[in-house]
Amino acid sequence: MLWDTHMHTQFSTDGSAAPAAMAEKALELKLEGICFTDHLDYDYPLQEPDGEPEFLLDIEGYRHSIEAVQKDYSGKLPVYMGIELGLQPHLAKRHYELLQSCSFDFVIGSSHVVHGQDPYYASYYENRTEEEAYREYFVSILENIDAFDGFDVYGHIDYVVRYGPNRNRDYTYAGYADIIDEILKRLIAKGKGIEINTAGFKYGLGHPNPTEEILKRYRALGGEIITIGSDAHAPEQIAYDFIKVPDILKEAGFRYYTVFRQRIPQFIPL
């Protein structure tokens, strides 16, 4: 009976499912509620500029579609509308302007682009060690937090380990504790949360993003805002491995998880 508050539909460049199909699956799974968070990545570096669509979002079309789902599932499934912003420091003003002109229930800030490159692609890791590539990713998160704090939670903080040459084989919180701790401290100081993103299990990492150790560290430093998301891009991915989430969060010291409504956190007992 958890909420899934990180999911993508056909309004995301890398999604294909209709919002109604996602809602129907969530209802079938008896979720407590859902929040759509389709992608908006301004200035995304295209690998094949002539053949790839940009990670932009038809916000008006998105809004109308989500409002239709909210109406159709009224009384059956709470449906909120959020957004996942791909952060880069030079986009801060544009993001602030967007959020002033559009109302969302929930805003995830994520790092998908690091100094002009997406770690999804092998080119990001060329001519340097995996550790150097991962550290640059974490440094970019600090730069984003300093430039923009209009988000509610920072998404999949260690997203980079999904795609590294060895993925998370040699990756530990301890190896990057200095910079990860600084990320967590700055988020807490700004009143921002993090998420437990179960796509790490979907990608075969054996852990969520971020790892259990980082979740524990965030809580130990005083962090309280934790949202739950599957990062689903299709109905069958909704609530992926959510059965593991309550125990992971309780072990990390959480007794509540968070759902945002009109940008206001609501704390729900685990």
Side-chain angles (χ1 to χ4, degrees):
M1 298 296 287
L2 301 173
W3 281 71
D4 192 338
T5 60
H6 188 153
M7 58 173 61
H8 303 282
T9 75
Q10 63 193 15
F11 287 92
S12 288
T13 298
D14 55 0
S16 59
M22 301 290 276
E24 187 61 27
K25 183 63 174 182
L27 187 65
E28 177 187 323
L29 293 170
K30 296 182 171 60
L31 291 184
E32 192 72 17
I34 60 173
C35 183
F36 293 105
T37 53
D38 274 303
H39 284 294
L40 175 58
D41 280 66
Y42 293 128
D43 199 17
Y44 182 80
L46 302 180
Q47 297 294 303
E48 300 174 11
D50 296 330
E52 288 183 304
E54 295 181 283
F55 272 84
L56 299 179
L57 177 61
D58 173 9
I59 290 177
E60 282 308 303
Y62 178 52
R63 181 186 304 282
H64 290 318
S65 184
I66 302 307
E67 287 175 349
V69 172
Q70 289 171 332
K71 181 179 178 180
D72 290 343
Y73 284 81
S74 178
K76 297 186 290 185
L77 178 73
V79 176
Y80 293 171
M81 187 180 80
I83 191 169
E84 183 178 11
L85 296 177
L87 303 184
Q88 298 182 64
H90 70 280
L91 298 175
K93 182 175 183 292
R94 196 170 181 183
H95 285 150
Y96 281 125
E97 290 172 348
L98 170 71
L99 296 180
Q100 288 173 354
S101 65
C102 301
S103 296
F104 297 98
D105 288 304
F106 179 43
V107 178
I108 300 173
S110 293
S111 291
H112 299 131
V113 176
V114 181
H115 305 141
Q117 297 186 82
D118 185 344
Y120 175 84
Y121 294 104
S123 57
Y124 174 75
Y125 305 92
E126 291 176 356
N127 302 315
R128 54 179 164 174
T129 67
E130 188 174 68
E131 180 180 356
E132 289 170 338
Y134 285 7
R135 281 195 166 271
E136 183 177 359
Y137 179 84
F138 291 127
V139 166
S140 78
I141 292 179
L142 290 176
E143 294 168 352
N144 286 329
I145 294 170
D146 287 344
F148 176 77
D149 62 5
F151 55 88
D152 300 310
V153 306
Y154 215 99
H156 44 56
I157 285 176
D158 53 9
Y159 160 91
V160 68
V161 305
R162 294 180 185 175
Y163 309 111
N166 298 298
R167 306 216 293 169
N168 65 337
R169 187 185 70 188
D170 304 314
Y171 164 72
T172 63
Y173 156 72
Y176 302 87
D178 54 337
I179 191 165
I180 291 174
D181 276 5
E182 187 59 30
I183 290 169
L184 299 178
K185 289 174 183 177
R186 291 192 198 181
L187 289 172
I188 292 167
K190 289 176 176 286
K192 307 301 179 183
I194 62 173
E195 67 168 350
I196 176 172
N197 186 310
T198 62
F201 295 117
K202 180 181 70 179
Y203 285 100
L205 301 179
H207 302 276
N209 297 115
T211 63
E212 295 88 342
E213 291 178 301
I214 295 174
L215 297 172
K216 289 178 183 179
R217 186 58 176 155
Y218 172 75
R219 185 69 192 97
L221 289 170
E224 298 180 327
I225 298 172
I226 184 82
T227 60
I228 303 170
S230 64
D231 213 342
H233 286 69
E236 62 270 20
Q237 298 170 357
I238 292 173
Y240 194 94
D241 264 357
F242 269 26
I243 193 171
K244 299 176 180 177
V245 168
D247 286 345
I248 291 173
L249 291 183
K250 288 176 184 177
E251 179 65 23
F254 293 96
R255 294 295 174 263
Y256 298 83
Y257 71 98
T258 313
V259 172
F260 281 82
R261 172 64 168 160
Q262 296 179 347
R263 308 294 306 280
I264 298 172
Q266 304 168 340
F267 295 91
I268 302 174
L270 287 163

